[in-house]
Each structure stands twice: as C-alpha cells, then as structure tokens.
Amino acid sequence: MNLLDLPKNEEIVTARDAILRMRVWMTYLVDKWKTIAIVAIAGALIGLSMVYNKKTIYTATLSFAMEDERAGGLGSAMGLASQFGLDLGASNAGGAFASANLIELMQSRSIVEKALLDSVKNQGQLISLAQFYINITGIKNVWKKAPDTITIQPKLLPGSDRKGFDLMQNSILAAIYEQLLKYHLKVYQRDRKISILAIEVKSENELFSKSFTEALANEVSKFYIDTKTHKSSQNLAILQKQADSVRRELNYAITGFAEANDNVYNLNPGLNVKRVPSTKRQIDIQANTAILTELLKNIELAKIAVRKETPLIQIIDTPILPLNEERPDKIKAMIIGVILGGMIAVIYLVLSRLWRVIMAAQS
C-alpha cells in the first residue's frame, strides 16, 4: 500500500485502511531509527550544554503588610466583607500607597537606587550593595563602557552623596537598576483581597539576595512613614521650636525678676517707681508660663497625632539563611533535549517523505 494512496471523493477510508497506513508510517520511522537516535542524542547534548554553565540561583522572599490606622474603620469593614465574597471596591485606589501603586513604588528607580547604596559586610569589608552586585556580575556585564575598576561607596561614607555622583556612577547605577528589574527583582500581591505584598529577589549570591531584599523593604518602609507623617511631624517641629523660644524668654524673665528684686532690697516703701522693673518681669514670667503651659499641652497632642498617623509596618516573613536554591537539573535538561530532538527528527522525516511523494506524483 502506497503511503499517499488517498481515496477518491466517493471512496470512504475504512478502519483497515487507516491501520495499514499507520503501519506503513511506523515501519518507515523504525527504519530511520538511527537518524532519530542521532538527533535525539544531539538534543540531549544541547540541553546539557545550556544548563552546564548555569550557577545555582538563590531566592530571597520577604512578605509584609502596611496598615494605616486612619483607614481602619472602612478598611476593616471591607476586609470583613471580602471574607464573605463581597467586593466593595478599593477604598484607597487613588492613594499613593494602594497595593498596585505600592508595587510600582517599590520598583521605582529612586527607591531601588537608595537600597543599592545601603551597606553590606562581605568578606570583612563594608561595601555598598551596588558595589557588591558589580563584584558578583562583573563591571562589563553591567555596562560595557565602564572602566575596569570603579567604586560606589555605601551611605554615610565619604563619596557616597548621591548628588555628588559623576556621569559614570549614575550610568552604572541606572544599568544595575535595569538589570535588577529585568532579571532579579519581583514585587507582587499575593492575593487581591488581602494587603500582603511580597518582595522576591533572585541572584547567584545568597548574601546579595538576602541583603538587597531587606534593604529594599527598609527603604520603602522609611519612605512610607515619612510621607504619611510629614505634615504632623512638621507641626510638631514648629511647636517644639516655639516652646524652646518661650522657655528661653521665661528663663530670662526669671533671672531679670531676681535681679530687679535684688536692686530694691530694703528699699523705702514710698519709692514705688523703683519696683516697676520687678513688676514687669513678674508679668513676663506669668505670661510666658501660661504660653509655655499651653505649648507643652499642644506638643503632647501633636506627638499623639504623629503616633496615630504613623502606619504600622508588619513584616510577616523575612529571608533566613540558607535561602531556597534553584540548581540546574542536568538530567531533566537532557530528557527534554531527547524528547524535543526526537520530535524534530520525526517531523522532519515525515514532512520530507511527504514532499518527495508529492513531487513524484506531480512529475
């Protein structure tokens, strides 16, 4: 039976015909087993070569929740409703710290670069995370135009002022940021109905994965708190400055009152004019005392307001050494290579024979 003996329009392909044709194909492929085996072995070798030089990947994961006390009432009601399957919509969808916005914030260049300038102790030396990343990957892998050696100092050390960075340092930080975002960093919300976010960092160095994850969470936490308490903190600072000023005036008035009393000691009771400076100082003391009392009261209220507006940062899970490892599976890569190679060989043999038969039928 010919491989392409197809029935005419009026003919019907029976089950026997189909089985016979399948046998023909199977016989043909069995005869070509050497070709299929060679291609399958080549696929296994290709799969092995692809993972042979790959290093172990370490994954650090940190999960946290950010809670604003001022949003407690409605937020709690919405959280309760979501437990019963009711979606009341996002109460703070437009807020800078809504979950979706917060994910974008944590992947912003400003926050990531601040985290990269945090320090880490590696082999007894204090270096920035940016420098650590350069040491791991190689400067040329970060930016091909960079010189062979360059130093990016961590925070609080000389030369670490971000505003004082030159063009080369800025370009390298930008290149590191792009690589982190593309290959290493992932920020996601675990569930749409809960406000728990997770930071996931993957790299070939266990210490870098852990340190960068924690640094990024710390920078976002500081930015979050500073933003939320900015106005109330400013008000507290102004009140404190006014209280310090009034306290100085009160101390000056007390000293002046004592000096004035010393000047009129054993004074003739009939000379009242001499008592005027003492009386003025006494009035200043009373006025400043009343003002200072009120300011101190307002300062305590302002401190309460700052504490109330300070959001609660709840760290749920932190990366702990040793981290999860993703080792390249050489056996799995070879098996996949064998399967793909065999499939490619079979498809090629089938198509090539069909083509030869069709061309022979047309000639």
Side-chain angles (χ1 to χ4, degrees):
M1 182 178 183
N2 195 300
L3 194 62
L4 286 180
D5 282 342
L6 300 176
K8 295 183 172 34
N9 292 338
E10 66 274 8
E11 295 178 356
I12 299 176
V13 179
T14 63
R16 181 174 176 277
D17 294 333
I19 293 173
L20 288 174
R21 289 177 185 175
M22 288 179 62
R23 286 181 177 177
V24 172
W25 278 113
M26 292 299 298
T27 303
Y28 169 70
L29 293 176
V30 169
D31 291 340
K32 297 292 184 179
W33 70 269
K34 290 183 179 180
T35 303
I36 297 174
I38 291 172
V39 177
I41 293 172
L45 294 176
I46 292 173
L48 179 62
S49 65
M50 290 178 65
V51 301
Y52 187 78
N53 293 324
K54 282 190 174 182
K55 298 181 180 179
T56 303
I57 300 299
Y58 298 95
T59 303
T61 304
L62 185 147
S63 60
F64 64 97
M66 289 188 172
E67 179 184 350
D68 190 347
E69 186 176 337
R70 292 181 301 174
L74 182 57
S76 301
M78 294 183 64
L80 182 62
S82 66
Q83 295 179 7
F84 294 95
L86 301 176
D87 187 4
L88 301 181
S91 62
N92 58 344
F97 298 101
S99 295
N101 295 343
L102 190 57
I103 291 174
E104 292 300 318
L105 174 65
M106 298 181 72
Q107 298 179 104
S108 66
R109 178 173 174 177
S110 173
I111 296 296
V112 171
E113 288 187 357
K114 286 180 180 178
L116 284 172
L117 293 179
D118 276 1
S119 60
V120 59
K121 195 169 186 179
N122 181 40
Q123 297 179 351
Q125 185 181 6
L126 196 66
I127 60 175
S128 67
L129 284 168
Q131 189 69 44
F132 195 7
Y133 184 83
I134 291 172
N135 295 344
I136 296 168
T137 60
I139 185 64
K140 294 300 181 184
N141 293 329
V142 174
W143 196 42
K144 294 181 179 179
K145 296 181 181 179
D148 292 334
T149 58
I150 190 168
T151 302
I152 298 179
Q153 294 285 8
K155 294 176 184 176
L156 305 179
L157 289 182
S160 62
D161 185 6
R162 185 67 177 84
K163 295 180 181 178
F165 278 16
D166 57 23
L167 179 61
M168 186 68 65
Q169 290 172 314
N170 286 330
S171 300
I172 291 174
L173 273 179
I176 294 175
Y177 165 72
E178 291 176 1
Q179 288 196 11
L180 285 172
L181 218 60
K182 188 175 182 180
Y183 301 111
H184 306 285
L185 175 62
K186 180 182 178 183
V187 184
Y188 56 94
Q189 187 175 3
R190 289 188 168 179
D191 193 296
R192 186 176 61 87
K193 294 182 179 180
I194 58 178
S195 58
I196 296 178
L197 299 178
I199 304 172
E200 185 177 277
V201 176
K202 295 184 176 183
S203 76
E204 297 174 358
N205 187 282
E206 193 172 26
L207 180 59
F208 177 82
S209 295
K210 178 180 183 296
S211 301
F212 181 70
T213 303
E214 294 172 340
L216 185 60
N218 185 48
E219 289 298 331
V220 173
S221 176
K222 288 194 294 186
F223 182 83
Y224 186 37
I225 292 175
D226 291 344
T227 303
K228 285 287 188 179
T229 62
H230 180 67
K231 290 183 179 179
S232 55
S233 297
Q234 276 189 330
N235 182 47
L236 177 59
I238 292 172
L239 288 172
Q240 190 65 57
K241 187 176 180 180
Q242 290 176 342
D244 293 339
S245 177
V246 172
R247 192 187 299 276
R248 284 193 300 270
E249 290 297 325
L250 178 59
N251 292 336
Y252 178 72
I254 292 172
T255 303
F257 177 72
E259 291 176 352
N261 280 340
D262 290 343
N263 292 333
V264 296
Y265 182 70
N266 288 331
L267 183 69
N268 187 345
L271 300 176
N272 292 324
V273 175
K274 295 291 185 178
R275 303 183 189 275
V276 171
S278 175
T279 305
K280 286 183 177 180
R281 292 300 184 183
Q282 189 174 10
I283 293 173
D284 290 342
I285 291 173
Q286 293 173 349
N288 287 326
T289 300
I291 295 172
L292 182 60
T293 302
E294 194 63 30
L295 282 173
L296 292 176
K297 194 184 303 181
N298 290 335
I299 285 174
E300 292 304 317
L301 293 174
K303 288 180 180 179
I304 294 173
V306 171
R307 288 195 295 267
K308 191 173 182 180
E309 291 187 358
T310 301
L312 177 62
I313 310 298
Q314 295 176 313
I315 301 296
I316 300 171
D317 292 318
T318 57
I320 301 174
L321 298 178
L323 301 179
N324 293 330
E325 300 179 3
E326 296 179 16
R327 295 182 180 274
D329 194 337
K330 297 182 177 64
I331 296 177
K332 183 179 179 181
M334 291 178 67
I335 293 173
I336 294 175
V338 167
I339 294 173
L340 292 178
M343 290 176 62
I344 292 172
V346 169
I347 292 172
Y348 172 77
L349 290 171
V350 170
L351 292 178
S352 62
R353 180 162 184 179
L354 285 174
W355 176 256
R356 288 196 302 270
V357 172
I358 291 172
M359 295 302 295
Q362 290 179 351
S363 59

